Amino acid sequence: MGSSARPAPIAISKAQARRIWLRAQRLDTPAPFGDGPQAVPAAVRHLGYVQIDTINVIERCHHHILFARIPDYRREYLQQAQSVDKTVFEYWTHALSYIPTETLRFYVRDMKRYWKRRSVWFARVTEPDVRRVMRRIRHQGALSVRDMDDKVLVDKAHAWASRKPSKHALELAFFRGQLTISARSGMVKTYELISRHFGWERPPRTASEQETLGYLLDRALQAQGLVSPDSVCYLDAGRKPALRRLIDRRVRRGELVPVAVEGADKLPHWARPETLETLGGLPEISNDTVHVLSPFDPLVNQRKRLQLFFDYEHCFEAYLPKAKRKYGYFVCPVLLGDRIVAGLDLKTDRERGRLLIQKWNWTRHASKRSDRPVIESALERFERFQLAR
């Protein structure tokens, strides 16, 4: 083979692609990260990030995502990881997420420069506003927005915004990396000086753009198994050309293998050679393995990839008017073995202590008579988790 020749892609079926992805997501075996508090940083480290979301119709998605992989998960485990052990921190990936603290240096560049991409959020914030909140936290210690008594309020820019200028100043200092979120209670965040929270004498060295690309590719290979430019650079299209060049270099060195996934002729994929070598030795996933997934689970949030691998089109309809919803307000896909067999519109009635099924949507991959009992058993476990406090 000449130095410029490229290896032919290895063809795999959709079933094999699903198997690789589910293994990478650790959704094919029970308790893949063990149990107890140390399972949380292990899970976040492996997945690369765990998305945070404000919707509270059932459990918030960061807890939901971790419960899917840690059967004995308790909410205080995440609190310990964030506020006590400090093994995870909050920052922006494609959305606000929990991220392993050991990878923080790959986000310093964003903190220094790329926060300006979101400058529209902070149009009303002045530098004196930022200096004021920074000075107060420096002298008084960590504070939440509830501790800020603004004398002058502003109009909301959108429905989720705050009328307190100090909140916008806190958020801007957070995106700049001056503050970090040292604790969270529901959606109430406590801010602390990032250097004081982590006990730094100096901040981590800023990773170069090339180092960051390598980190993003390695993160995706670990959590996805099979990767494409779209899956690595989800909502970050500007990095795709440089990523393709990095992939090409790794292919030439034999570190990556091109893969042709059934039904994805126009979307090339790659995997590590050992991923494909071990595929035949992976055990079948039991049909007793059931996960009620968050719509923000890393298996679900890249909708085109989900549809390609699972032949399931997930529709998130929470922001649609009720009359236009086909499947429901907050539909959670149900993964049974390697099939997505249903999408359940769920709601937790905390006053009555019940998990309500608003609508049960079967997919064409379901065997309704045999699948329903194991799903109902999984829902009972999920209900106990939802209501445990």
Side-chain angles (χ1 to χ4, degrees):
M1 182 186 295
S3 59
S4 61
R6 296 186 178 184
I10 296 175
I12 65 172
S13 67
K14 283 190 178 183
Q16 290 174 312
R18 287 196 301 273
R19 189 69 188 84
I20 291 171
W21 193 11
L22 290 171
R23 171 91 285 259
Q25 281 289 304
R26 298 297 190 260
L27 290 170
D28 60 341
T29 55
F33 301 106
D35 53 22
Q38 295 311 307
V40 167
V44 178
R45 185 181 304 115
H46 179 83
L47 297 173
Y49 66 87
V50 169
Q51 184 173 336
I52 300 167
D53 192 74
T54 60
I55 296 177
N56 197 32
V57 66
I58 58 170
E59 185 51 83
R60 298 190 194 276
C61 73
H62 39 287
H63 296 306
H64 189 166
I65 292 166
L66 291 169
F67 172 72
R69 295 159 178 84
I70 306 170
D72 83 329
Y73 174 74
R74 299 179 182 178
R75 296 160 187 85
E76 56 264 30
Y77 293 170
L78 183 56
Q79 294 167 1
Q80 177 175 331
Q82 179 174 25
S83 303
V84 180
D85 301 335
K86 302 174 186 177
T87 50
V88 303
F89 74 105
E90 294 188 30
Y91 202 67
W92 196 268
T93 54
H94 69 283
L96 187 63
S97 301
Y98 286 103
I99 305 168
T101 301
E102 63 200 49
T103 67
L104 194 148
R105 73 186 191 93
F106 298 108
Y107 297 88
V108 174
R109 183 180 297 268
D110 286 2
M111 292 173 178
K112 289 182 176 179
R113 294 167 50 189
Y114 296 155
W115 64 267
K116 293 178 181 178
R117 294 175 181 172
R118 291 176 282 275
S119 60
V120 65
W121 296 358
F122 310 115
R124 296 179 177 179
V125 182
T126 66
E127 288 304 321
D129 290 333
V130 176
R131 288 195 295 269
R132 191 177 303 113
V133 299
M134 290 291 295
R135 184 167 55 249
R136 185 169 174 186
I137 290 174
R138 187 175 295 112
H139 293 139
Q140 298 182 20
L143 297 171
S144 77
V145 70
R146 289 181 176 176
D147 299 313
M148 299 293 183
D149 185 17
D150 294 51
K151 295 179 180 179
V152 178
L153 303 180
V154 298
D155 292 333
K156 287 189 177 186
H158 56 77
W160 302 320
S162 171
R163 297 186 64 205
K164 290 185 174 184
S166 57
K167 183 176 189 295
H168 301 286
L170 287 168
E171 290 174 343
L172 177 54
F174 164 75
F175 277 109
R176 285 176 171 176
Q178 296 167 286
L179 299 177
T180 193
I181 297 169
S182 60
R184 172 184 286 272
S185 177
M187 297 311 291
V188 178
K189 296 169 282 191
T190 297
Y191 294 87
E192 173 63 290
L193 301 178
I194 193 168
S195 57
R196 191 160 64 194
H197 176 72
F198 289 112
W200 295 336
E201 292 185 5
R202 58 176 60 89
R205 178 181 63 85
T206 304
S208 68
E209 178 61 18
Q210 196 60 36
E211 287 174 323
T212 301
L213 276 173
Y215 156 70
L216 292 173
L217 177 54
D218 289 335
R219 183 182 76 177
L221 286 164
Q222 178 170 273
Q224 298 173 6
L226 289 169
V227 302
S228 68
D230 288 350
S231 74
V232 178
C233 298
Y234 179 55
L235 299 184
D236 190 13
R239 282 187 161 126
K240 285 184 184 180
L243 177 76
R244 284 298 302 264
R245 293 192 292 271
L246 175 59
I247 289 173
D248 286 343
R249 290 196 295 273
R250 291 198 182 184
V251 170
R252 289 195 297 270
R253 295 197 299 259
E255 297 170 5
L256 289 179
V257 178
V259 178
V261 177
E262 175 190 359
D265 298 337
K266 296 182 180 180
L267 184 62
H269 287 79
W270 291 266
R272 291 179 173 132
E274 56 268 29
T275 298
L276 301 176
E277 290 167 2
T278 58
L279 177 59
L282 293 176
E284 291 297 318
I285 305 175
S286 168
N287 277 339
D288 292 332
T289 302
V290 185
H291 296 289
V292 180
L293 296 174
S294 165
F296 302 105
D297 193 279
L299 192 81
V300 179
N301 62 11
Q302 295 194 35
R303 306 291 162 75
K304 290 182 180 178
R305 178 180 169 95
L306 181 72
Q307 186 171 9
L308 171 64
F309 283 37
F310 285 86
D311 292 317
Y312 167 73
E313 182 179 7
H314 185 73
C315 297
F316 186 68
E317 300 178 326
Y319 302 125
L320 290 179
K322 186 175 182 179
K324 293 186 177 182
R325 293 178 201 143
K326 181 177 179 181
Y327 301 102
Y329 178 81
F330 199 78
V331 174
C332 296
V334 178
L335 176 68
L336 194 158
D338 70 346
R339 299 172 291 140
I340 294 180
V341 297
L344 306 182
D345 181 23
L346 300 177
K347 180 179 181 180
T348 301
D349 184 339
R350 293 175 177 85
E351 289 186 3
R352 297 165 61 192
R354 294 178 58 191
L355 179 68
L356 307 178
I357 303 174
Q358 311 280 73
K359 189 173 183 180
W360 191 305
N361 307 286
W362 289 107
T363 74
R364 64 187 182 87
H365 307 293
S367 300
K368 299 179 185 179
R369 181 173 297 180
S370 59
D371 290 348
R372 187 158 192 140
V374 290
I375 294 172
E376 288 177 341
S377 178
L379 285 169
E380 289 175 4
R381 295 193 301 274
F382 189 60
E383 181 180 61
R384 290 194 294 271
F385 164 66
Q386 290 284 298
L387 298 170
R389 292 292 173 185

